[in-house]
Amino acid sequence: MRVLLLEDDEDVGPWVRTGLKENGHVVDLFANGKDALIAATLQSYDLFIFDRMVPELDGLSLLKSLRASKNQTPAIFLTALGEIDERVKGLEYGAADYLVKPFEFAELLARVDVLASRQNASAQEQLIELMARWLTLKHVSCHCRRNLQVPPFPATTLQAHTSLSRLP
């Protein structure tokens, strides 16, 4: 996954970036919200991980701005603001998850993996839907259409597909 990490702590940011890279992710680290906003606007990311209290543009305002521009990239807040009203606010602004500092890296990685698996499932559903639009079989009449054209399928191919499609 390509991850945009917004973290101004000089110890935490590089540590999280290194851990994510060691687990196969590509990570761009930013220490202020304005630079992160520019990057998120110019580059496509699979995941955002934002600290809430950073210079120039805080993480909450950054996420609000991205959501206003229709950017629906999943986001995790990684922050010291752990009061329940702060966590709720982060989720209401569009974060998929919220992790309070201090944290264990294994927990962050598990949360990243969950979001990655959700995105993979969504991508597979979109591929299946695209394939369904590309190929339409009519079992009752044994007609097949591909892109609104009738392809030259022999009747045995249609019969085989009909039989296979009825299997549980």
Side-chain angles (χ1 to χ4, degrees), residues 46-125:
D46 301 305
L47 177 66
F48 300 137
I49 301 176
F50 294 160
D51 186 358
R52 294 245 335 245
M53 299 182 295
V54 294
E56 299 187 39
L57 181 67
D58 67 274
L60 196 62
S61 298
L62 171 59
L63 185 59
K64 184 178 180 181
S65 176
L66 291 169
R67 294 297 186 248
S69 68
K70 306 297 185 215
N71 186 323
Q72 295 302 313
T73 302
I76 299 174
F77 279 117
L78 183 61
T79 180
L81 296 173
E83 297 297 320
I84 190 69
D85 61 324
E86 294 295 341
R87 289 183 278 166
V88 168
K89 188 185 298 182
L91 296 169
E92 287 177 344
Y93 273 59
D97 207 342
Y98 198 105
L99 186 58
V100 178
K101 296 175 185 177
F103 65 97
E104 294 293 327
F105 182 78
E107 183 179 5
L108 174 62
L109 185 60
R111 292 170 187 244
V112 168
D113 290 344
V114 165
L115 290 176
S117 68
R118 287 181 191 164
Q119 283 185 305
N120 288 340
S122 176
Q124 288 174 347
E125 289 174 10

XYZ file of all heavy atoms in Angstrom, residues 46-125:
626
model
N -3.208 4.961 -0.839
C -4.137 3.917 -0.417
C -4.595 4.125 1.016
O -5.635 3.605 1.422
C -3.484 2.537 -0.537
C -3.036 2.246 -1.949
O -3.874 2.337 -2.866
O -1.842 1.940 -2.144
N -3.789 4.864 1.798
C -4.094 5.066 3.212
C -3.435 6.336 3.715
O -2.306 6.645 3.335
C -3.577 3.871 4.033
C -3.752 3.934 5.549
C -5.228 3.903 5.931
C -2.999 2.796 6.213
N -4.156 7.043 4.580
C -3.599 8.181 5.310
C -3.457 7.787 6.775
O -4.383 7.185 7.343
C -4.517 9.407 5.241
C -4.794 9.942 3.872
C -6.079 10.332 3.523
C -3.785 10.098 2.935
C -6.356 10.856 2.276
C -4.046 10.619 1.686
C -5.333 11.000 1.345
N -2.343 8.156 7.384
C -2.170 8.042 8.826
C -1.783 9.428 9.308
O -0.715 9.927 8.956
C -1.101 7.004 9.212
C -1.466 5.625 8.664
C -0.937 6.955 10.741
C -0.399 4.549 8.913
N -2.666 10.049 10.094
C -2.481 11.438 10.499
C -2.386 11.575 12.017
O -3.233 11.056 12.742
C -3.674 12.310 10.070
C -3.861 12.466 8.586
C -5.101 12.856 8.094
C -2.842 12.257 7.684
C -5.309 13.029 6.739
C -3.030 12.427 6.321
C -4.275 12.817 5.846
N -1.391 12.340 12.466
C -1.390 12.860 13.822
C -2.355 14.039 13.798
O -2.510 14.708 12.778
C 0.021 13.307 14.205
C 0.157 13.728 15.656
O -0.851 13.724 16.390
O 1.275 14.072 16.055
N -3.005 14.299 14.921
C -3.942 15.421 14.952
C -3.257 16.745 15.241
O -3.671 17.782 14.740
C -5.027 15.179 16.025
C -5.946 14.016 15.731
C -7.380 14.354 15.495
N -7.919 15.542 16.051
C -8.864 15.599 16.983
N -9.351 14.500 17.499
N -9.330 16.757 17.394
N -2.227 16.726 16.074
C -1.585 17.980 16.503
C -0.249 18.153 15.787
O 0.792 17.712 16.266
C -1.381 17.967 18.017
C -2.678 17.853 18.791
S -2.453 17.888 20.581
C -1.522 16.391 20.865
N -0.308 18.768 14.610
C 0.890 19.024 13.803
C 0.885 20.483 13.368
O -0.161 21.134 13.354
C 0.950 18.091 12.568
C 1.139 16.635 12.974
C -0.282 18.245 11.708
N 2.037 21.022 12.989
C 2.113 22.428 12.584
C 1.400 22.716 11.254
O 1.203 21.838 10.439
C 3.612 22.687 12.427
C 4.321 21.498 12.916
C 3.354 20.385 13.049
N 1.034 23.961 11.094
C 0.517 24.583 9.875
C -0.911 24.199 9.502
O -1.679 25.049 9.099
C 1.472 24.377 8.698
C 2.834 25.014 8.953
C 3.726 24.969 7.746
O 3.231 25.164 6.632
O 4.936 24.752 7.939
N -1.265 22.928 9.583
C -2.631 22.472 9.329
C -2.798 21.173 10.109
O -2.147 20.178 9.790
C -2.859 22.245 7.830
C -4.253 21.786 7.398
C -5.290 22.879 7.654
C -4.254 21.401 5.920
N -3.652 21.192 11.139
C -3.783 20.003 11.980
C -4.427 18.856 11.208
O -5.071 19.057 10.172
C -4.589 20.333 13.245
C -6.025 20.651 12.929
O -6.316 21.825 12.619
O -6.861 19.722 12.969
N -4.243 17.656 11.709
C -4.728 16.462 11.022
C -6.221 16.433 10.815
O -6.709 15.963 9.777
N -6.984 16.921 11.775
C -8.437 16.939 11.649
C -8.869 17.877 10.519
O -9.699 17.513 9.679
C -9.070 17.370 12.972
C -10.552 17.099 13.151
C -10.852 15.611 13.100
C -11.032 17.683 14.463
N -8.286 19.060 10.464
C -8.609 20.013 9.389
C -8.156 19.479 8.036
O -8.832 19.683 7.022
C -7.945 21.361 9.656
O -8.428 21.919 10.850
N -7.038 18.785 8.022
C -6.544 18.180 6.785
C -7.534 17.152 6.267
O -7.909 17.170 5.089
C -5.174 17.542 7.019
C -4.600 16.694 5.893
C -4.452 17.489 4.613
C -3.256 16.102 6.319
N -7.988 16.261 7.144
C -8.940 15.246 6.710
C -10.253 15.891 6.257
O -10.832 15.483 5.247
C -9.200 14.220 7.815
C -10.091 13.053 7.403
C -9.496 12.284 6.223
C -10.335 12.125 8.581
N -10.711 16.900 6.971
C -11.940 17.604 6.586
C -11.797 18.203 5.187
O -12.698 18.101 4.359
C -12.255 18.695 7.606
C -13.550 19.415 7.346
C -13.829 20.459 8.407
C -15.135 21.175 8.155
N -15.417 22.202 9.149
N -10.657 18.797 4.911
C -10.402 19.385 3.595
C -10.382 18.319 2.506
O -10.949 18.506 1.419
C -9.074 20.142 3.628
O -8.756 20.639 2.368
N -9.746 17.193 2.782
C -9.689 16.109 1.792
C -11.075 15.532 1.525
O -11.426 15.259 0.379
C -8.725 15.015 2.258
C -7.254 15.420 2.266
C -6.407 14.386 2.995
C -6.751 15.634 0.838
N -11.853 15.353 2.575
C -13.212 14.825 2.395
C -14.085 15.817 1.614
O -14.906 15.411 0.794
C -13.856 14.495 3.740
C -13.177 13.346 4.501
C -13.255 12.041 3.740
N -12.749 10.923 4.512
C -11.644 10.249 4.226
N -10.911 10.588 3.173
N -11.265 9.220 4.968
N -13.885 17.105 1.848
C -14.640 18.121 1.111
C -14.312 18.090 -0.375
O -15.158 18.422 -1.211
C -14.359 19.508 1.691
N -13.103 17.679 -0.706
C -12.709 17.579 -2.115
C -12.991 16.187 -2.690
O -12.470 15.821 -3.733
C -11.236 17.937 -2.283
O -10.420 16.950 -1.687
N -13.800 15.403 -1.972
C -14.255 14.074 -2.414
C -13.164 13.006 -2.372
O -13.288 11.960 -2.991
C -14.871 14.123 -3.815
C -15.984 15.128 -3.987
C -17.167 14.810 -3.123
C -18.309 15.781 -3.435
N -19.087 16.117 -2.294
N -12.088 13.250 -1.627
C -11.053 12.234 -1.449
C -11.522 11.287 -0.347
O -11.656 11.676 0.805
C -9.727 12.893 -1.066
C -8.588 11.902 -1.004
O -8.749 10.765 -0.574
N -7.418 12.332 -1.444
N -11.767 10.031 -0.695
C -12.297 9.044 0.240
C -11.258 8.021 0.683
O -11.601 6.937 1.158
C -13.504 8.328 -0.377
C -14.686 9.253 -0.621
C -15.167 9.938 0.647
O -15.341 9.307 1.683
N -15.352 11.252 0.571
N -9.976 8.358 0.534
C -8.916 7.461 0.982
C -9.097 7.166 2.465
O -9.293 8.090 3.261
C -7.544 8.113 0.741
O -7.418 8.403 -0.662
C -6.413 7.216 1.191
N -9.048 5.893 2.868
C -9.182 5.563 4.289
C -8.098 6.256 5.114
O -6.959 6.393 4.670
C -9.014 4.050 4.342
C -9.282 3.575 2.960
C -8.889 4.696 2.040
N -8.485 6.685 6.330
C -7.562 7.404 7.200
C -7.590 6.822 8.608
O -8.649 6.429 9.104
C -7.921 8.885 7.246
N -6.422 6.803 9.222
C -6.281 6.428 10.624
C -5.689 7.630 11.342
O -4.676 8.179 10.898
C -5.331 5.222 10.805
C -5.851 3.992 10.097
C -5.109 4.942 12.297
C -4.882 2.806 10.115
N -6.313 8.024 12.442
C -5.690 9.026 13.300
C -4.797 8.312 14.293
O -5.197 7.327 14.908
C -6.735 9.877 14.038
C -7.297 10.982 13.214
C -8.638 11.028 12.896
C -6.475 12.006 12.745
C -9.159 12.057 12.137
C -6.979 13.039 11.967
C -8.326 13.057 11.670
N -3.584 8.820 14.433
C -2.588 8.295 15.366
C -2.163 9.479 16.220
O -1.354 10.297 15.782
C -1.410 7.721 14.567
C -0.295 7.062 15.343
C -0.806 5.877 16.134
C 0.799 6.616 14.381
N -2.735 9.607 17.428
C -2.610 10.854 18.156
C -2.663 10.660 19.663
O -3.152 9.648 20.149
C -3.732 11.822 17.712
O -3.623 13.038 18.406
C -5.099 11.225 17.928
N -2.175 11.656 20.377
C -2.235 11.646 21.841
C -3.594 12.107 22.356
O -3.876 11.965 23.549
C -1.129 12.533 22.411
N -4.422 12.668 21.501
C -5.750 13.121 21.915
C -6.663 11.909 22.076
O -7.244 11.418 21.111
C -6.329 14.103 20.891
C -5.565 15.415 20.723
C -6.133 16.225 19.574
C -5.587 16.212 22.019
N -6.775 11.440 23.310
C -7.466 10.177 23.536
C -8.793 10.263 24.252
O -9.424 9.242 24.502
N -9.245 11.468 24.570
C -10.558 11.599 25.217
C -11.633 11.102 24.257
O -11.512 11.227 23.040
C -10.822 13.056 25.593
C -9.851 13.620 26.610
C -9.925 12.907 27.951
O -11.048 12.582 28.394
O -8.855 12.666 28.539
N -12.703 10.563 24.810
C -13.749 9.981 23.979
C -14.324 10.980 22.979
O -14.554 10.637 21.816
C -14.870 9.331 24.829
C -15.827 8.519 23.960
C -15.647 10.377 25.608
C -15.248 7.283 23.385
N -14.523 12.233 23.395
C -15.084 13.216 22.451
C -14.117 13.510 21.308
O -14.536 13.762 20.179
C -15.509 14.503 23.165
C -14.362 15.217 23.865
O -13.470 14.527 24.398
O -14.359 16.460 23.883
N -12.817 13.445 21.565
C -11.825 13.652 20.498
C -11.829 12.465 19.532
O -11.732 12.643 18.307
C -10.423 13.840 21.093
C -10.267 15.098 21.922
C -10.415 16.379 21.108
O -10.290 16.349 19.870
O -10.655 17.430 21.732
N -11.925 11.256 20.055
C -11.971 10.069 19.188
C -13.229 10.081 18.332
O -13.170 9.802 17.129
C -11.899 8.792 20.027
C -10.508 8.592 20.636
C -10.401 7.317 21.388
N -10.959 7.519 22.731
C -11.257 6.547 23.560
N -11.086 5.290 23.205
N -11.730 6.817 24.758
N -14.351 10.412 18.947
C -15.610 10.479 18.195
C -15.523 11.538 17.102
O -15.942 11.308 15.963
C -16.800 10.746 19.147
C -18.067 11.101 18.374
C -17.039 9.536 20.043
N -14.956 12.688 17.435
C -14.819 13.758 16.443
C -13.983 13.284 15.248
O -14.340 13.537 14.094
C -14.159 14.992 17.075
C -14.161 16.210 16.175
C -13.401 17.392 16.759
C -14.003 17.875 18.054
N -13.296 19.063 18.590
N -12.893 12.592 15.512
C -12.059 12.083 14.426
C -12.809 11.125 13.514
O -12.695 11.187 12.284
N -13.609 10.256 14.117
C -14.394 9.317 13.318
C -15.511 10.037 12.559
O -15.784 9.713 11.412
C -14.960 8.215 14.216
C -13.900 7.318 14.868
C -14.524 6.439 15.940
C -13.152 6.500 13.838
N -16.123 11.016 13.178
C -17.183 11.774 12.509
C -16.643 12.587 11.330
O -17.371 12.824 10.359
C -17.874 12.712 13.498
C -18.772 11.995 14.485
C -19.407 12.905 15.515
O -18.952 14.065 15.690
O -20.362 12.453 16.167
N -15.398 12.984 11.397
C -14.791 13.728 10.288
C -14.370 12.811 9.137
O -13.907 13.277 8.112
C -13.598 14.544 10.780
C -13.959 15.916 11.293
C -14.849 16.083 12.350
C -13.415 17.052 10.724
C -15.179 17.339 12.821
C -13.734 18.321 11.197
C -14.621 18.454 12.245
O -14.951 19.703 12.704
N -14.524 11.513 9.330
C -14.281 10.599 8.219
C -13.137 9.627 8.379
O -12.792 8.920 7.434
N -12.533 9.545 9.557
C -11.468 8.566 9.758
C -12.069 7.168 9.850
O -13.159 6.980 10.399
C -10.680 8.873 11.031
N -11.365 6.189 9.319
C -11.798 4.801 9.408
C -11.410 4.195 10.746
O -12.012 3.218 11.193
C -11.171 3.987 8.276
N -10.394 4.778 11.398
C -9.903 4.237 12.665
C -9.210 5.341 13.451
O -8.853 6.384 12.891
C -8.938 3.084 12.392
C -8.887 2.065 13.523
O -9.323 2.385 14.651
O -8.402 0.950 13.283
N -8.981 5.071 14.726
C -8.395 6.074 15.622
C -7.573 5.324 16.656
O -8.108 4.500 17.392
C -9.521 6.863 16.305
C -9.109 8.177 16.919
C -9.428 9.375 16.299
C -8.430 8.224 18.137
C -9.090 10.600 16.863
C -8.086 9.442 18.710
C -8.417 10.627 18.068
O -8.078 11.833 18.633
N -6.281 5.586 16.693
C -5.374 4.908 17.620
C -4.688 5.956 18.484
O -4.134 6.923 17.970
C -4.339 4.096 16.842
C -3.393 3.212 17.634
C -4.150 2.197 18.484
C -2.447 2.482 16.679
N -4.751 5.748 19.806
C -4.235 6.720 20.753
C -2.791 6.369 21.133
O -2.462 5.206 21.367
C -5.127 6.766 22.012
C -4.577 7.753 23.037
C -6.562 7.157 21.623
N -1.938 7.402 21.181
C -0.554 7.256 21.637
C -0.545 7.223 23.165
O -1.353 7.912 23.785
C 0.298 8.430 21.154
C 0.449 8.532 19.670
C 1.214 9.808 19.332
C 1.299 10.051 17.866
N 1.966 11.313 17.546
N 0.344 6.501 23.782
C 1.319 5.587 23.177
C 0.623 4.331 22.643
O -0.442 3.959 23.113
C 2.263 5.260 24.327
C 1.465 5.462 25.560
C 0.457 6.526 25.243
N 1.237 3.697 21.684
C 0.643 2.538 21.019
C 1.736 1.519 20.723
O 2.924 1.845 20.716
C -0.051 2.958 19.719
C 0.910 3.488 18.691
C 1.395 2.662 17.690
C 1.346 4.807 18.736
C 2.291 3.146 16.749
C 2.233 5.294 17.796
C 2.715 4.465 16.807
N 1.316 0.306 20.474
C 2.237 -0.743 20.033
C 2.184 -0.790 18.505
O 1.103 -0.745 17.915
C 1.830 -2.102 20.614
C 1.959 -2.189 22.114
C 3.407 -2.120 22.586
O 4.303 -2.616 21.857
O 3.649 -1.562 23.672
N 3.362 -0.909 17.892
C 3.394 -0.916 16.435
C 2.580 -2.083 15.870
O 1.927 -1.938 14.831
C 4.832 -0.965 15.897
C 4.864 -0.922 14.405
C 4.681 0.274 13.731
C 5.008 -2.090 13.655
C 4.660 0.318 12.348
C 4.983 -2.047 12.280
C 4.813 -0.847 11.616
N 2.587 -3.220 16.536
C 1.845 -4.391 16.056
C 0.352 -4.075 15.914
O -0.309 -4.537 14.980
C 2.045 -5.576 16.997
N -0.188 -3.257 16.824
C -1.594 -2.885 16.738
C -1.841 -1.967 15.538
O -2.817 -2.142 14.801
C -2.059 -2.214 18.020
C -3.532 -1.872 17.990
C -4.048 -1.225 19.266
O -3.247 -0.941 20.185
O -5.268 -0.985 19.322
N -0.958 -1.004 15.331
C -1.095 -0.136 14.159
C -1.032 -0.964 12.882
O -1.857 -0.796 11.977
C -0.011 0.944 14.140
C 0.031 1.814 12.875
C -1.266 2.607 12.698
C 1.233 2.744 12.912
N -0.076 -1.872 12.802
C 0.075 -2.702 11.604
C -1.174 -3.553 11.377
O -1.624 -3.707 10.231
C 1.320 -3.575 11.721
C 1.670 -4.394 10.492
C 1.919 -3.490 9.283
C 2.900 -5.254 10.765
N -1.748 -4.088 12.448
C -2.973 -4.879 12.305
C -4.108 -4.020 11.749
O -4.875 -4.470 10.889
C -3.366 -5.482 13.649
N -4.205 -2.797 12.213
C -5.257 -1.899 11.720
C -5.024 -1.533 10.253
O -5.966 -1.455 9.460
C -5.334 -0.651 12.589
C -5.848 -0.962 13.997
C -5.688 0.225 14.931
N -6.019 -0.114 16.295
C -7.028 0.420 16.980
N -7.789 1.328 16.427
N -7.251 0.048 18.219
N -3.777 -1.320 9.877
C -3.434 -1.054 8.471
C -3.807 -2.262 7.615
O -4.401 -2.117 6.541
C -1.935 -0.708 8.334
C -1.497 -0.721 6.881
C -1.635 0.643 8.978
N -3.490 -3.453 8.095
C -3.799 -4.677 7.341
C -5.302 -4.876 7.159
O -5.755 -5.319 6.106
C -3.179 -5.895 8.014
C -1.661 -5.914 7.908
O -1.098 -5.169 7.067
O -1.028 -6.674 8.672
N -6.081 -4.544 8.181
C -7.542 -4.662 8.075
C -8.065 -3.723 6.984
O -8.881 -4.117 6.142
C -8.229 -4.369 9.424
C -9.724 -4.136 9.252
C -7.983 -5.514 10.396
N -7.581 -2.489 6.991
C -8.029 -1.537 5.960
C -7.580 -1.979 4.576
O -8.319 -1.819 3.596
C -7.526 -0.133 6.285
C -8.198 0.516 7.497
C -7.557 1.867 7.800
C -9.693 0.681 7.281
N -6.388 -2.561 4.484
C -5.903 -3.061 3.190
C -6.778 -4.196 2.688
O -7.113 -4.250 1.501
C -4.451 -3.522 3.320
N -7.175 -5.094 3.576
C -8.021 -6.211 3.147
C -9.404 -5.720 2.720
O -9.984 -6.251 1.781
C -8.136 -7.266 4.246
O -8.861 -6.774 5.343
N -9.922 -4.691 3.374
C -11.207 -4.108 2.950
C -11.096 -3.514 1.562
O -11.997 -3.652 0.731
C -11.660 -3.034 3.931
C -12.161 -3.565 5.240
C -12.605 -2.440 6.134
N -12.837 -2.909 7.489
C -12.932 -2.120 8.542
N -12.826 -0.808 8.391
N -13.125 -2.626 9.731
N -9.971 -2.834 1.302
C -9.789 -2.234 -0.025
C -9.649 -3.314 -1.085
O -10.170 -3.174 -2.184
C -8.560 -1.324 -0.034
C -8.808 0.003 0.624
C -7.621 0.924 0.480
O -6.508 0.574 0.852
N -7.863 2.094 -0.060
N -8.938 -4.395 -0.761
C -8.789 -5.492 -1.724
C -10.130 -6.130 -2.028
O -10.435 -6.441 -3.174
C -7.802 -6.532 -1.202
C -6.375 -6.032 -1.232
O -6.054 -5.093 -1.951
N -5.520 -6.643 -0.447
N -10.967 -6.328 -1.004
C -12.293 -6.909 -1.211
C -13.135 -5.990 -2.093
O -13.837 -6.451 -2.994
C -12.978 -7.151 0.127
N -13.056 -4.690 -1.861
C -13.802 -3.729 -2.663
C -13.326 -3.750 -4.110
O -14.131 -3.705 -5.040
C -13.649 -2.326 -2.076
O -14.285 -1.375 -2.888
N -12.014 -3.829 -4.305
C -11.466 -3.877 -5.668
C -11.919 -5.143 -6.385
O -12.238 -5.105 -7.576
C -9.950 -3.798 -5.629
N -11.981 -6.275 -5.679
C -12.445 -7.519 -6.289
C -13.912 -7.421 -6.674
O -14.316 -7.880 -7.740
C -12.216 -8.691 -5.336
C -10.767 -9.067 -5.204
C -10.538 -10.140 -4.157
O -11.406 -10.455 -3.364
N -9.344 -10.704 -4.169
N -14.726 -6.802 -5.815
C -16.140 -6.618 -6.138
C -16.299 -5.752 -7.381
O -17.142 -6.033 -8.234
C -16.877 -5.983 -4.962
C -17.059 -6.906 -3.786
C -17.655 -6.205 -2.576
O -18.110 -5.043 -2.712
O -17.649 -6.815 -1.499
